[in-house]
Amino acid sequence: MPASDKSKATNRTGKSRIAKLGSTITTQKAGRKSSGRQSFDVEAFVTTVGVGRTISTYNPKSYIFRQGMACDAVFYIQKGQVELSVLSRQGKERVVGVLNSGAFLGEGCLAGQPRYLASARASTEAAVARVEKATLAKALNDHPALSQRFMAFLLLRNGQIEADLVDHLFNSSEKRLARLLVMLAQVGQEAELRPVAAPISQEVMAARVGTTRSRINYFMNKFRKLGLIEYNGDLKVHSSLLNVIIRE
């Protein structure tokens, strides 16, 4: 074979080897990329069944857990409304909170709390996920996205508890009721009439506000006559009710 032909054959062989090598490197890089860790789906974790995770549906007035039970899991409200209540040694029950979809409850177990300090009962039909303590603790440690969401909820709830305490210490029962209605209807600054998504009885309102049912009935009628609420079966709250809260 002439020298020029040998040189061409050698060049073709070299190019072929380089092409194969480049293909191999590309394939290896693609393989490494595809084997990377997938992003953690927070929503899927709290809304699907898995190891240490179950989902149950509760009818209105059904208990999710009761005060004094072993505190071994955290719950997440997927749908519906749940009220928290405390029973005194004298047998008096007081509603201390109402939580809606997207809220956690029973989180005290992560801090070593041995028993639930309150009872959780569905106010409406509710779908609630139960996550075992060990399962959630590991997930919070392994996945920052879940930790951030959980921390954001705790900070928001802590702020609400502080606001409730100030409300009870310094505001009249009329203002406390107005604040409760504004919160339930999620009223903003816009001039609008907003419905309360989940029904709430005057007994529950009285327990939340810290007064009697007769006083709640009196203030509800007063608010209705002033055009601040509509209360004919479905409860609707007007944004002007905010004026009752901020006035001296």
Side-chain angles (χ1 to χ4, degrees):
M1 181 182 294
S4 59
D5 292 341
K6 288 183 179 180
S7 177
K8 290 179 180 179
T10 302
N11 289 339
R12 284 197 297 269
T13 303
K15 289 179 180 179
S16 177
R17 288 175 179 173
I18 292 172
K20 288 181 179 179
L21 179 60
S23 176
T24 302
I25 293 173
T26 302
T27 303
Q28 289 176 347
K29 286 182 177 179
R32 285 197 296 268
K33 185 175 181 180
S34 63
S35 63
R37 292 179 63 184
Q38 295 181 347
S39 60
F40 181 72
D41 190 336
V42 176
E43 196 63 27
F45 180 80
V46 294
T47 58
T48 59
V49 175
V51 178
R53 309 195 314 272
T54 57
I55 298 174
S56 301
T57 301
Y58 297 88
N59 293 322
K61 298 185 178 181
S62 298
Y63 281 91
I64 299 165
F65 58 79
R66 290 179 180 269
Q67 179 179 336
M69 289 177 58
C71 189
D72 56 1
V74 176
F75 297 81
Y76 177 81
I77 306 172
Q78 296 181 5
K79 181 182 70 173
Q81 187 180 79
V82 174
E83 65 181 32
L84 300 176
S85 61
V86 175
L87 186 66
S88 70
R89 293 182 179 179
Q90 292 74 31
K92 293 183 179 180
E93 187 177 26
R94 173 67 61 86
V95 176
V96 294
V98 176
L99 301 175
N100 296 303
S101 58
F104 293 90
L105 57 154
E107 66 278 3
C109 70
L110 296 174
Q113 182 178 301
R115 299 186 180 278
Y116 294 113
L117 301 180
S119 296
R121 180 173 56 196
S123 303
T124 64
E125 184 175 333
V128 181
R130 179 185 184 276
V131 185
E132 293 180 2
K133 174 183 175 181
T135 300
L136 182 58
K138 185 178 186 304
L140 289 171
N141 184 64
D142 293 344
H143 305 292
L146 178 62
S147 298
Q148 290 172 6
R149 178 163 173 175
F150 190 67
M151 183 63 70
F153 165 76
L154 293 179
L155 291 173
L156 177 62
R157 186 167 176 187
N158 185 64
Q160 290 176 341
I161 291 173
E162 289 181 354
D164 286 343
L165 179 59
V166 171
D167 193 34
H168 276 271
L169 288 175
F170 298 106
N171 289 333
S172 65
S173 55
E174 181 180 8
K175 285 189 176 183
R176 295 200 299 271
L177 175 60
R179 178 174 175 269
L180 174 63
L181 294 174
V182 166
M183 289 175 58
L184 290 174
Q186 298 181 346
V187 170
Q189 297 295 328
E190 300 81 7
E192 59 180 346
L193 192 67
R194 290 187 58 86
V196 173
I200 181 170
S201 66
Q202 290 193 358
E203 288 81 2
V204 173
M205 290 184 194
R208 288 289 307 276
V209 171
T211 188
T212 63
R213 184 186 178 283
S214 60
R215 293 292 288 170
I216 293 295
N217 186 59
Y218 170 78
F219 291 131
M220 292 293 284
N221 286 328
K222 177 181 178 180
F223 293 160
R224 179 167 52 187
K225 290 177 181 178
L226 292 173
L228 303 177
I229 65 171
E230 289 184 5
Y231 195 35
N232 296 314
D234 295 330
L235 176 59
K236 296 180 180 179
V237 180
H238 199 278
S239 56
S240 56
L241 186 61
L242 286 167
N243 295 327
V244 175
I245 302 174
I246 62 177
R247 76 186 181 196
E248 293 296 333

